[in-house]
Amino acid sequence: MTYDHNFTGFEATVISTTDSAIVGIPFYINIDKSSTPAKWSYYTLFINSDKQYRLKVRLNGGEATDVYDWTTSEAIKKPTEKNTILVYQDKEGNLIIKINGTQVEIIRPNDLLLKQGDVGIITPVTYEQLTAKTDFTSTYEFKKFQY
């Protein structure tokens, strides 16, 4: 991949082996290592099988809070189908979130709580999966990754 001076963000695809999975991608991860334990701050974008997404933020090791609660979008496919997530900053500093090519959110620079940081992956499990001890896999592929 060549460096694109006009792109700051990431593009990832995610697919799961079960439709009951909730998949998520934490991004803008910042870790304050000056305290013990270290304090984590990050956004997490979740998608579920009800064609909904949710954006949460965790600041300085505190509780995660909703930036956007579960919101329906026809752009979202089942977790067993490939979903493409694109998160990037435009030239004006807006944070753009697209799912399968459809813009679902824009966060203006003054509303951004975190600066650019790392990106991670997360697959929360449902209570039913824990109690049934159901195995499942979620696969993530990062196609663009540039900060």
Side-chain angles (χ1 to χ4, degrees), residues 100-143:
N100 296 321
T102 300
Q103 181 174 313
V104 294
E105 292 298 344
I106 181 170
I107 303 175
R108 305 285 179 210
N110 291 343
D111 296 328
L112 277 175
L113 300 172
L114 297 170
K115 303 283 186 215
Q116 294 174 1
D118 296 324
V119 175
I121 56 175
I122 186 170
T123 303
V125 273
T126 64
Y127 178 76
E128 291 78 18
Q129 289 166 324
L130 285 174
T131 56
K133 297 183 173 50
T134 304
D135 291 335
F136 73 96
T137 303
S138 294
T139 304
Y140 297 79
E141 179 183 357
F142 287 88
K143 297 185 175 210

Side-chain angles (χ1 to χ4, degrees), residues 5-147:
H5 295 282
N6 297 314
F7 181 82
T8 303
F10 69 91
E11 179 180 351
T13 59
V14 61
I15 191 166
S16 186
T17 57
T18 178
D19 276 333
S20 63
I22 297 172
V23 295
I25 299 181
F27 60 96
Y28 283 19
I29 301 170
N30 293 281
I31 305 168
D32 177 2
K33 296 178 186 173
S34 66
S35 63
T36 304
K39 295 180 181 178
W40 290 63
S41 297
Y42 52 88
Y43 287 107
T44 305
L45 178 67
F46 296 99
I47 59 174
N48 68 21
S49 59
D50 294 326
K51 294 189 167 198
Q52 297 174 320
Y53 67 92
R54 178 185 212 170
L55 183 65
K56 294 184 86 78
V57 66
R58 182 177 182 181
L59 299 172
N60 300 316
E63 290 294 318
T65 59
D66 286 330
V67 177
Y68 300 108
D69 199 358
W70 289 112
T71 304
T72 301
S73 172
E74 290 302 314
I76 299 172
K77 301 174 186 175
K78 294 179 185 178
T80 54
E81 298 176 44
K82 187 182 289 187
N83 281 283
T84 300
I85 298 168
L86 178 64
V87 177
Y88 67 97
Q89 275 191 298
D90 65 13
K91 292 180 182 179
E92 289 78 37
N94 299 305
L95 184 68
I96 311 294
I97 300 173
K98 291 184 176 184
I99 300 175
N100 296 321
T102 300
Q103 181 174 313
V104 294
E105 292 298 344
I106 181 170
I107 303 175
R108 305 285 179 210
N110 291 343
D111 296 328
L112 277 175
L113 300 172
L114 297 170
K115 303 283 186 215
Q116 294 174 1
D118 296 324
V119 175
I121 56 175
I122 186 170
T123 303
V125 273
T126 64
Y127 178 76
E128 291 78 18
Q129 289 166 324
L130 285 174
T131 56
K133 297 183 173 50
T134 304
D135 291 335
F136 73 96
T137 303
S138 294
T139 304
Y140 297 79
E141 179 183 357
F142 287 88
K143 297 185 175 210
K144 285 185 178 180
F145 186 82
Q146 206 170 273
Y147 285 99

